[in-house]
Amino acid sequence: IIDIDFDGMTTIAKSVLQIAKSALRMSNICKKGKIRDFVVTCEKGYFVVVGMEDVILIAITGLDAKSEIGLIRKTMISRLSEVVYG
């Protein structure tokens, strides 16, 4: 568990949107369609980002989650799909 205040979460959300916009530009250049998800790998952990419609879900993990990133991503997609599409 990490301790992030509201301002920190706001900053993370804004940063994720900037990354997503850049990724979308790259995707458009390569004609690959909309961005569905991405993983940011850091020295001390990962950000797993999944989006559908106007909803974005962000998971912040430690390095110990390396072998579970695929499962985390799949679970996030499933849960977000339930929220967005019922």
Side-chain angles (χ1 to χ4, degrees):
I1 306 276
I2 58 174
D3 184 22
I4 300 176
D5 61 16
F6 180 76
D7 290 334
M9 289 304 298
T10 300
T11 301
I12 289 170
K14 288 179 181 178
S15 298
V16 164
L17 288 174
Q18 289 175 345
I19 293 168
K21 287 178 183 178
S22 294
L24 182 57
R25 281 193 295 275
M26 292 183 332
S27 179
N28 287 337
I29 290 168
C30 298
K31 298 181 172 90
K32 295 296 182 184
K34 293 180 181 180
I35 301 298
R36 296 183 343 181
D37 58 79
F38 58 90
V39 177
V40 177
T41 304
C42 304
E43 290 178 357
K44 297 182 180 179
Y46 305 89
F47 290 89
V48 182
V49 181
V50 174
M52 290 181 191
E53 302 298 327
D54 292 334
V55 182
I56 296 174
L57 189 59
I58 305 168
I60 303 170
T61 73
L63 288 174
D64 56 335
K66 181 177 182 175
S67 64
E68 303 298 326
I69 293 296
L71 180 59
I72 292 168
R73 181 186 156 277
K74 184 177 178 179
T75 302
M76 290 171 66
I77 290 169
S78 175
R79 297 298 180 246
L80 192 55
S81 181
E82 290 174 8
V83 169
V84 171
Y85 303 116

